[in-house]
Amino acid sequence: MTKTDNVVHDAEYYILYDQHGEKWEVEDRELDARLEALRKKYGTPPNIVHIMWDDMPFGDAGIPAINKIRGFETPNCNRIAEEGILFTRFYTEPACTPSRAAVITGRHPVRHGMHTVAFPIENGGLRGDEVTTAEVLSSAGYATAFYGKWHLGDLEESYPHNHGFDEALFTPYNQVMSLWNPQGEGANAVLGLVEENLKKDPYQIDDNFLPDGWILTIEGRKGETAREWGDTGINDYKAIDPECEKRTLEFIRKNARARTPFYVAYWPLMIGLIADPKKETVARSLLSEGFRKVDAFLGTVMEELKNLGIAENTLLVAHADNGPMTHNPPPGMGMAETIFRGGKSDYWEGGIRVAAFAWWPGMIPAGEIVGDMIHEVDLYTTFARLGGAMEQIPGDRVVDGLDQTALLINGDTHGRRDYNFVYTGPVLAATIKGRWKRVWVGDHPGLAGAAFYDLYLDHREQFPVLIPLLHTDLAFKRMRVRHEIWKKKYPDRPEKRGVPFTGLENPRPETERLAKPLVRDRSRLPFDPLEFIDFEPPWDDFDRDMPGG
């Protein structure tokens, strides 16, 4: 079950394995015995439920005292923290598309080009030859389903049901789509998009400048043609999360009855950027009103698993995808740094250190507060280990995710990661090793501009020091060099580019036109009007700061 010879990790892992490998192998044999006993009891490997929401830093959920400060309650996250694990050092990528790409492939998104947030029309997405968690677990006999915010491109090969999921209902983009409708235009929340509602601008010459033909939601099944679900209106947007919650519960019940191991990922949209008039939380923010529903659903899932008699054989992992949107948020968003400095798109701890929990009655010790470092990419390898599917992980590429089964089951101090390479877009912005952090980007070149931090002494990264941490300089440089040399052996690849929204049985005419140049006579142009599709703009990383990223 624990064979990992085929998995290629980043170079830093082998430095740790050289020091601790023998101890880890003994621990792994003990873990195998526990997992085998569980498998004999239930007849299947453990089920996996993965719930991931947007933009929440560590502290906002699971800690009652901070609930009071922030003005909204998280009773079910608090319950998970009491009955399972509260992670204090769970790292993600800095923004939504990179984070989702990382967790589903077990690889930092710089490796496959998914490092920039997608907006309509993207003309790009997750490469078809990336191997996802769903593909790995499907090969081991799992039923798999995805519901919610996929946000990994608008290409047919990027759809989740073409990446191993048996069934999917998903959005290729993010929450900004809640504004791309007449209500958003009417509220001046989006300006000049819904032209049929607007007086004609007599000076507008180009009638094809703005995006058109985009799709809000797609549903599909493995091996079948997908279809657009609903339309692009505000009511269609509001219907997505309730429908995904319903399908998640139906999927769990169906496979529990069939005694089939399952992996279901529900990644809710959580918020729309047009607020509901009625407020149910003291904070009254978009965040608090949206997360109230996510927290309630976590409670529903836990009770359903107990009622079905499979809670002991089901791992529930729940976490945010990145830090809070504190840069350029829409009015009333209500997101805050809370504890750590920074937010979405930042390499500071506040952008990448998030609210995260795990619940597995009988396997995870109750009330476990974990200080070990874990990264979202580790879920890929850990889920594969639990599913007996490690040999399904490809061995021709670097898999950044480490197996953290020992941390889940044995608890605090049993982690196997003490490092993190923090990318913002394609740029290596910072490196973390244990308690120390070095920022590689800054206002001044060379060592004079280098920022070193001890994260215990300065958890908000406000006071960079040089002389007291100069002894870490060469160590960080060696670490980076190992990382870069390994990347030369396993080079990064660009995002896949192409025509969007193919492979649909019910495309609207304006969607079909996306595959055609918006010109009357191509012979009049001295270039191919579709050649932009294959061009990856080097300036495109600005949109990491956009709302809903």
Side-chain angles (χ1 to χ4, degrees), residues 90-112:
F90 191 106
Y91 284 109
T92 65
E93 300 297 315
C96 292
T97 295
S99 185
R100 288 152 204 275
V103 78
I104 206 67
T105 66
R107 287 155 49 82
H108 289 307
V110 69
R111 300 195 188 278
H112 42 57

Side-chain angles (χ1 to χ4, degrees), residues 202-232:
Y203 305 105
Q204 179 176 314
I205 298 175
D206 187 349
D207 292 328
N208 296 323
F209 179 68
L210 298 176
D212 191 20
W214 56 276
I215 288 175
L216 179 60
T217 314
I218 298 172
E219 65 175 334
R221 292 181 177 273
K222 186 185 295 183
E224 298 181 8
T225 303
R227 62 180 290 110
E228 181 175 10
W229 183 87
D231 205 333
T232 59

Side-chain angles (χ1 to χ4, degrees), residues 42-174:
Y42 287 92
T44 69
N47 310 302
I48 299 168
V49 179
H50 180 213
I51 298 178
M52 182 171 70
W53 59 90
D54 278 69
D55 301 8
M56 180 174 282
F58 172 77
D60 270 12
I63 303 175
I66 297 181
N67 288 164
K68 298 298 183 184
I69 294 170
R70 297 286 286 120
F72 61 95
E73 305 295 326
T74 61
N76 291 295
C77 286
N78 300 359
R79 174 186 167 190
I80 297 176
E82 293 170 357
E83 299 179 5
I85 289 177
L86 168 65
F87 294 102
T88 66
R89 207 172 182 189
F90 191 106
Y91 284 109
T92 65
E93 300 297 315
C96 292
T97 295
S99 185
R100 288 152 204 275
V103 78
I104 206 67
T105 66
R107 287 155 49 82
H108 289 307
V110 69
R111 300 195 188 278
H112 42 57
M114 296 300 294
H115 48 65
T116 301
V117 176
F119 289 93
I121 301 294
E122 177 70 7
N123 291 111
L126 186 66
R127 304 177 66 94
D129 56 3
E130 284 297 319
V131 180
T132 68
T133 307
E135 289 169 298
V136 169
L137 291 174
S138 288
S139 298
Y142 274 70
T144 57
F146 180 87
Y147 307 113
K149 179 184 170 183
W150 181 242
H151 203 188
L152 291 176
D154 48 25
L155 303 187
E156 183 178 354
E157 71 179 78
S158 303
Y159 301 162
H161 58 279
N162 293 331
H163 269 288
F165 286 100
D166 296 327
E167 58 185 78
L169 180 68
F170 67 98
T171 62
Y173 305 122
N174 62 12

